[in-house]
Amino acid sequence: MKPLTAFRLSIKNIIRRPGRSLCLAAVSALLSFALAGGSLLAECLKNGTKSMSDRLGADALIVPGGYESKAQGALLRGEPSAFFFEGELADRLLDSYGIEQASPQLFIATLDSEHCAFPVQMIGYDPSTDFVVAPWLSQSVPGGPAKGEVIVGADIDGRKGETLEFFGSYYLVAGKLEKTGIGFDTTVFLNMDQAREALDDYAGLVGAYIPEDAISTIAVNVSPAVDINDFSRRIRYGFREEDVGVVLTQAMLGNIASKMDSLLAVIRVITMFLWVASIGVLAILFSAILGERKREFGIYRALGASRKKLSALVLVEASFVSLIGSIAGTALLSLFYFSLNALIGLSIDMPYLAPTSAGTIAWLLGSAIIASFLAGPAASLFTAARIGKMATDAIMREGE
Amino acid sequence: MLLEVKNVSKSYKAGISALESTSFNVMGTFNACLTGPSGSGKSTLLNIISGLLPPSSGEVFFDGASLATLDDAALSRFRCENIGCVPQGRSMLASLTVLENVCLPFYLAKKKGDPKDRATELLALMGLDGFSNRRPKELSGGELRRAAIARGLMNQPKLLVADEPTSDLDPANAEAVMALFAKAIDAGVSVLLATHDMNCLKHCSIHLTMEKGRLLA
Ligand SMILES: Nc1ncnc2c1ncn2[C@@H]1O[C@H](COP(=O)(O)OP(=O)(O)OP(=O)(O)O)[C@@H](O)[C@H]1O
Ligand SMILES: [Mg+2]
C-alpha cells in the first residue's frame, strides 16, 4: 500500500471536501489572475512608452502651424490626416541652423470610398534622406519603394506581392514594416514622386487646394550641440510669417510617459494590496476551517501525530490548493492575454500597449504563480501554529 | 509494564480543578476500568496518562520514565510506540478508507515497511474481514468502534487507552468490544478504559472510581 505521507493525506482531504478546496483555490486563482494581469499590463505599458521615442526616430517634426496635434495623431495612432506647406518654404526650412538630419514627408489621407482599399494614413517619403521608416523594414527594399510600389505597416491587410488600390491606382506591396506599436502600423508608405501622383488624385477627388511641391512635415534630428527647445523656438520665430509649428517628440512622449508612470504606480499599489488582502482572506478562511476540523486534528494527535506533523498537514494542504489555484488563474489570464493580444493586433487605437517577448511573459507569469502560491502557505501559518494546542482540547469532545 | 501516576492534578482554568492530586500504580498486564459520574475527571485523567494533556502538576511514569521530561516530538514518538488510543465517539477519519485508518498510526510512527498485512489481520480479529476498502460512513457505530480498536492496536502498544468505548453501542456490540479488549490483553497489551457501563466491570482486573476530581480508594 502507498505510504500515507503528509502529501497523500492532504490530497485525500482536498478531494474529500471539493467545495471547500475549490473555494480556497478560487481565492488563489483570483489572486494569481490579478497579479499576472497587473504585471503583464504594466510590462506592456512600460514597453509601449519606453521604446516610443526610439520608434519615431526623430527629435522633432516641423509641420504647418496649427497642425501639431494632427501630426501627433497620425504618428502615434495612425489617424489619417493631410496638411501641407509649400515646397519653397520646405527648402528654406531645411537650411535652418542646427539640423543634423532631415527628411521631408508628405501626408495624404486615403479615402473611405470605392477608389481606395481602405482609409489609412499614406506617407510619401524620400528614401535617400530617410532615417525614420527604413529601420522598421522587415526585409530590405533597396532604394525604397519604386514607382507603383508601396511599403505597408504591420497591421495593413496586404502581403508582399499583393496589390492595393488607392485613388484608383494599383500599387504593388514591396515590403512590410515590423510591428512598431505606433501609427506606422496602419500607414502605407510610398516614395515622394509616387506620393505626388497620389496627391494629385487625392486633390482631384476631394477638391482641395494643394500648394506647389507640397510637403507635410520634415522629420528632423538636431545636432547634439543644439538645445532642442532653442531649436524649436528659433524655427517658430524665424518663420512666424509663414506660420510653422514644431512637434518635439520628446515632449510629446514625455507627456505620455509621465501619465504612464502614475498608472504603473497605481497598478503596483493595487497588486500589492490584492496580495495582502488575499493573505488576509485566506487566513480567515483557514482559521474558520480549522474550527470545523478540530476534531479531525484531535484524532491525528491522539494517534500519535506531533504538533509539527499537524502543522505540516495544514501547510501542505494550503500549499497544494494554493498552487492549483494559482496555476489555474494564471492559465486563464494567459488565455485571456493571448486572445486579447490577437484583438489588439487587429485594432488601430491601442498604440501604448506593446506586446512583450515570450521570455518576459513566461517570467512574469511564473512570478505571478509563485507570488500567488506563497500567499497560501503564508496565510495558513497562523492556523498551523495554533493547531497543536487546539487539537489537544478537541479530543475531549465528541462529534465530527 | 509499570504505570505510575504521582500527585497528578489538573485545572483548566485558574481556581477550578478538574483533577485533584491523584496517585496510583498498576503493573503487569492489566485491564483497568475507570468509573465515576459525569464530570468527575475520567477523561481528564485518561488524557493525561496517554500524554495528550499536560498535567498542571505531578507526573506520569511509564516503566520508570517520566512523560514530563519529553518535548513534543519525543513525546509523540513515545506515544506512537507505546500508547494506543481509542478516542471517545466516532474517530475514523472520513477521508481515509477503513484500512488506511487502521494503518495511519504506523505511518505517524514513521515505521518502515508495509502495514497492510498486519492491519488486515487486526481487522479480521475484530470481525471486520472485507471492510478494508469501505469508507467510515458506510460502517455502523459498533463496526466503527471495533475498527478504532484495531487502529489502537496497530503499533503493538504497551497500553491501550479507551474513553467510553461502549457508550453508543447496544449490549451485544458492547459485549463484543469488551471481548476484543480481552483478546488484546491476551496478546500482552494492558488496557485502561473509562466507562459508565457497569457491564464492563466484570471483565476488568482493576477498578478505579472517581468523584469530583478525586480517586476513591
Ligand atoms: N477543555 C476544558 N476546559 C475547561 N474545563 C474542562 C475542559 N475539559 C473538561 N473540563 C472540565 O473538567 C471537569 C472534568 O471533565 P472530564 O471530561 O474529565 O469529565 P468526565 O469524567 O470524563 O465526564 P464524562 O463522563 O461526562 O465524560 C468537568 O467539570 C469539565 O467541565
Ligand atoms: Mg469523559
Side-chain angles (χ1 to χ4, degrees):
Chain A
M1 114 179 237
K2 282 190 195 146
L4 294 171
T5 56
F7 187 70
R8 268 177 62 81
L9 288 170
S10 299
I11 291 185
K12 281 172 180 290
N13 247 316
I14 289 167
I15 296 170
R16 171 91 197 141
R17 290 298 186 86
R20 186 170 75 192
S21 310
L22 225 69
C23 197
L24 292 169
V27 175
S28 296
L30 269 171
L31 176 61
S32 76
F33 188 91
L35 289 184
S39 58
L40 260 184
L41 181 65
E43 180 64 25
C44 286
L45 285 174
K46 224 161 54 183
N47 219 36
T49 42
K50 185 187 63 188
S51 43
M52 191 96 72
S53 46
D54 309 336
R55 284 161 213 229
L56 275 178
D59 292 339
L61 300 170
I62 303 176
V63 298
Y67 285 95
E68 290 88 343
S69 66
K70 285 229 165 197
Q72 286 192 27
L75 286 170
L76 290 181
R77 295 180 291 277
E79 291 161 5
S81 50
F83 44 83
F84 311 99
F85 42 54
E86 283 167 23
E88 174 268 335
L89 173 58
D91 288 340
R92 281 194 284 136
L93 281 165
L94 283 173
D95 285 336
S96 300
Y97 169 77
I99 292 182
E100 189 169 77
Q101 268 179 312
S103 184
Q105 297 181 339
L106 186 56
F107 284 29
I108 310 163
T110 73
L111 305 174
D112 191 4
S113 76
E114 53 186 308
H115 305 289
C116 292
F118 27 70
V120 285
Q121 179 66 57
M122 192 177 235
I123 296 181
Y125 74 106
D126 174 9
S128 63
T129 57
D130 168 64
F131 59 96
V132 175
V133 181
W136 287 109
L137 278 169
S138 51
Q139 66 270 82
S140 80
V141 180
K147 192 172 164 54
E149 288 183 347
V150 288
I151 287 171
V152 296
D155 294 340
I156 294 282
D157 189 14
R159 267 189 295 264
K160 187 174 172 168
E162 292 178 352
T163 51
L164 296 172
E165 183 189 9
F166 293 109
F167 306 115
S169 307
Y170 288 88
Y171 296 88
L172 180 71
V173 176
K176 197 153 193 162
L177 298 191
E178 288 178 35
K179 185 99 180 152
T180 63
I182 55 175
F184 284 0
D185 289 344
T186 53
T187 299
V188 172
F189 298 90
L190 351 70
N191 73 38
M192 206 51 111
D193 292 339
Q194 196 70 64
R196 290 200 193 290
E197 279 179 32
L199 183 57
D200 287 341
D201 295 335
Y202 167 80
L205 283 167
V206 297
Y209 162 75
I210 307 290
E212 208 172 314
D213 293 331
I215 288 294
S216 305
T217 75
I218 303 173
V220 168
N221 266 339
V222 175
S223 49
V226 175
D227 180 78
I228 183 85
N229 291 310
D230 282 348
F231 173 80
S232 160
R233 224 171 292 126
R234 211 172 303 128
I235 293 263
R236 275 179 299 165
Y237 184 75
F239 293 88
R240 61 189 180 283
E241 305 272 292
E242 296 87 343
D243 193 13
V244 166
V246 178
V247 177
L248 299 183
T249 56
Q250 211 67 52
M252 144 173 129
L253 299 166
N255 197 10
I256 296 163
S258 72
K259 272 186 200 143
M260 289 295 166
D261 276 349
S262 40
L263 193 60
L264 284 177
V266 169
I267 292 176
R268 219 163 282 140
V269 168
I270 290 176
T271 355
M272 273 309 291
F273 171 79
L274 276 177
W275 197 70
V276 174
S278 304
I279 290 184
V281 168
L282 283 174
I284 290 168
L285 284 177
F286 282 132
S287 169
I289 288 168
L290 173 65
E292 185 187 315
R293 296 179 67 181
K294 254 197 222 167
R295 170 80 180 158
E296 176 190 340
F297 286 117
I299 291 162
Y300 273 113
R301 189 103 174 107
L303 298 180
S306 61
R307 287 170 203 275
K308 227 173 94 187
K309 182 80 178 183
L310 294 192
S311 302
L313 280 173
V314 170
L315 275 176
V316 169
E317 210 175 305
S319 305
F320 204 72
V321 169
S322 166
L323 183 66
I324 290 176
S326 300
I327 290 175
T330 308
L332 199 70
L333 189 274
S334 321
L335 209 76
F336 210 69
Y337 173 80
F338 287 114
S339 43
L340 196 73
N341 220 14
L343 285 177
I344 291 175
L346 296 176
S347 102
I348 303 179
D349 20 299
M350 297 195 75
Y352 309 126
L353 283 178
T356 138
S357 72
T360 315
I361 292 175
W363 192 84
L364 287 175
L365 294 185
S367 318
I369 291 180
I370 290 169
S372 151
F373 157 70
L374 285 177
S380 73
L381 276 179
F382 176 66
T383 301
R386 235 171 26 137
I387 190 116
K389 192 185 168 323
M390 290 189 79
T392 309
D393 283 359
I395 310 161
M396 312 274 291
R397 279 166 251 293
E398 213 194 315
E400 227 163 317
Chain B
M1 70 164 295
L2 171 63
L3 170 67
E4 298 166 90
V5 177
K6 274 194 188 154
N7 304 321
V8 166
S9 64
K10 177 77 187 177
S11 51
Y12 289 100
K13 281 177 209 121
I16 306 163
S17 114
L19 193 63
E20 280 170 39
S21 189
T22 300
S23 303
F24 69 91
N25 298 333
V26 278
M27 58 186 303
T29 305
F30 55 84
N31 182 2
C33 240
L34 197 55
T35 58
S38 187
S40 58
K42 302 183 297 295
S43 297
T44 303
L45 182 58
L46 234 55
N47 285 324
I48 290 173
I49 290 173
S50 60
L52 278 169
L53 200 64
S56 301
S57 65
E59 274 183 84
V60 176
F61 297 89
F62 277 83
D63 290 332
S66 167
L67 294 186
T69 57
L70 303 174
D71 66 10
D72 182 65
L75 179 60
S76 299
R77 210 174 313 122
F78 178 86
R79 296 188 56 247
C80 277
E81 283 161 11
N82 297 292
I83 304 171
C85 235
V86 183
Q88 206 172 348
R90 306 200 164 198
S91 65
M92 294 273 110
L93 294 172
S95 60
L96 305 179
T97 63
V98 170
L99 182 72
E100 286 166 337
N101 261 289
V102 174
C103 291
L104 189 57
F106 178 90
Y107 291 111
L108 290 177
K110 298 193 180 91
K111 293 191 175 184
K112 296 270 176 302
D114 194 336
K116 191 179 171 184
D117 289 347
R118 174 161 169 81
T120 315
E121 216 172 277
L122 281 169
L123 281 171
L125 192 69
M126 301 294 138
L128 295 171
D129 326 63
F131 280 66
S132 290
N133 293 321
R134 291 223 212 159
R135 295 274 162 185
K137 66 171 181 219
E138 300 161 354
L139 268 63
S140 75
E143 288 160 350
L144 283 172
R145 187 59 43 80
R146 282 183 275 152
I149 295 169
R151 187 176 61 183
L153 292 170
M154 183 67 214
N155 288 341
Q156 288 173 291
K158 287 185 187 155
L159 177 66
L160 184 66
V161 178
D163 197 349
E164 309 201 16
T166 60
S167 63
D168 53 354
L169 302 183
D170 64 21
N173 264 306
E175 199 55 41
V177 163
M178 291 313 293
L180 291 175
F181 284 132
K183 275 191 197 175
I185 292 156
D186 290 344
V189 180
S190 293
V191 175
L192 173 61
L193 50 90
T195 186
H196 289 286
D197 185 353
M198 292 307 159
N199 287 324
C200 295
L201 291 178
K202 59 181 181 236
H203 298 274
C204 73
S205 55
I206 298 166
H207 180 199
L208 302 162
T209 313
M210 292 196 72
E211 208 177 288
K212 291 179 183 161
R214 286 177 187 281
L215 201 60
L216 304 179

